[in-house]
Amino acid sequence: AQWIYEKHRGAKSIGDLISASSPKTKPRSSPSRPTPIDLATYSEIIDQITVNESKVRYGLVNINTASREVLIALAEGDEELGEALYGLRESNLFSITSLSTLLEDQAIGIEGFKKIVDKICVNSNVFLATSLAKSQFSRCQYRVKALLSRKDNNINMIYWRQGVVQ
């Protein structure tokens, strides 16, 4: 914890806390100086740590729902990395539930992980819901679109629009 606190001061990204030389497992503690974070511990806490003062980070892309093209763009045009992200997502039966899954993937690696970690998330806070209904009497179709925001345990409607489908 002390090492993370000291490293946090100069870090611009949670990816700055690790490198290719990071120990894979927890080294023996030295009472005289803080020890660097190991990849095993980092993987356990990745979804709970930040180097940002903000409680909520907006504008992150959910890698579970992003298109192949968006993943490549997030990887700064690195098609191999974008394809690795897409392939990892497709190979997970339900979804990627932790950023640590990316760190464990050989095709992504530590450097690829560091390139994208501050641009992505594995869950969303804003959703678009679309509903289409057909009146059994008039045969008219109605479409409602609602933009919903989730914060803590509350869901709020940001915007909605109702219209008749021709």
Side-chain angles (χ1 to χ4, degrees):
Q2 182 66 32
W3 183 87
I4 291 174
Y5 175 75
E6 289 173 8
K7 188 75 171 177
H8 169 274
R9 289 187 177 163
K12 291 184 172 49
S13 161
I14 58 173
D16 292 342
L17 299 175
I18 59 168
S19 70
S21 63
S22 294
K24 296 209 183 306
T25 58
K26 188 174 185 172
R28 292 198 163 211
S29 295
S30 168
S32 61
R33 66 184 182 100
T35 55
I37 190 168
D38 59 280
L39 294 176
T41 302
Y42 184 81
S43 290
E44 288 177 22
I45 65 172
I46 183 70
D47 297 309
Q48 288 86 41
I49 62 174
T50 184
V51 295
N52 187 315
E53 298 294 326
S54 175
K55 289 185 178 186
V56 177
R57 296 190 54 218
Y58 297 100
L60 300 179
V61 174
N62 184 339
I63 60 171
N64 287 311
T65 58
S67 69
R68 175 183 272 122
E69 293 78 15
V70 168
L71 294 174
I72 292 170
L74 287 172
E76 300 171 8
D78 182 339
E79 288 197 33
E80 277 187 47
L81 179 56
E83 289 293 338
L85 289 166
Y86 186 78
L88 178 63
R89 193 243 340 259
E90 294 302 303
S91 69
N92 278 276
L93 183 57
F94 298 105
S95 67
I96 296 171
T97 58
S98 172
L99 294 174
S100 66
T101 304
L102 279 67
L103 189 58
E104 297 161 4
D105 189 84
Q106 295 293 322
I108 295 169
I110 291 176
E111 291 308 310
F113 175 83
K114 290 175 71 168
K115 187 183 273 189
I116 60 164
V117 69
D118 288 317
K119 303 172 191 170
I120 60 171
C121 64
V122 294
N123 53 25
S124 298
N125 292 319
V126 177
F127 305 89
L128 177 65
T130 303
S131 178
L132 183 63
K134 187 175 188 179
S135 169
Q136 76 184 87
F137 300 110
S138 67
R139 301 253 186 237
C140 286
Q141 291 184 352
Y142 299 92
R143 176 176 288 135
V144 176
K145 287 187 176 188
L147 189 60
L148 308 170
S149 174
R150 175 181 61 191
K151 185 176 180 184
D152 300 322
N153 290 328
N154 299 318
I155 297 178
N156 296 308
M157 190 175 330
I158 299 171
Y159 170 84
W160 73 278
R161 179 175 173 96
Q162 175 182 329
V164 177
V165 179
Q166 303 287 327

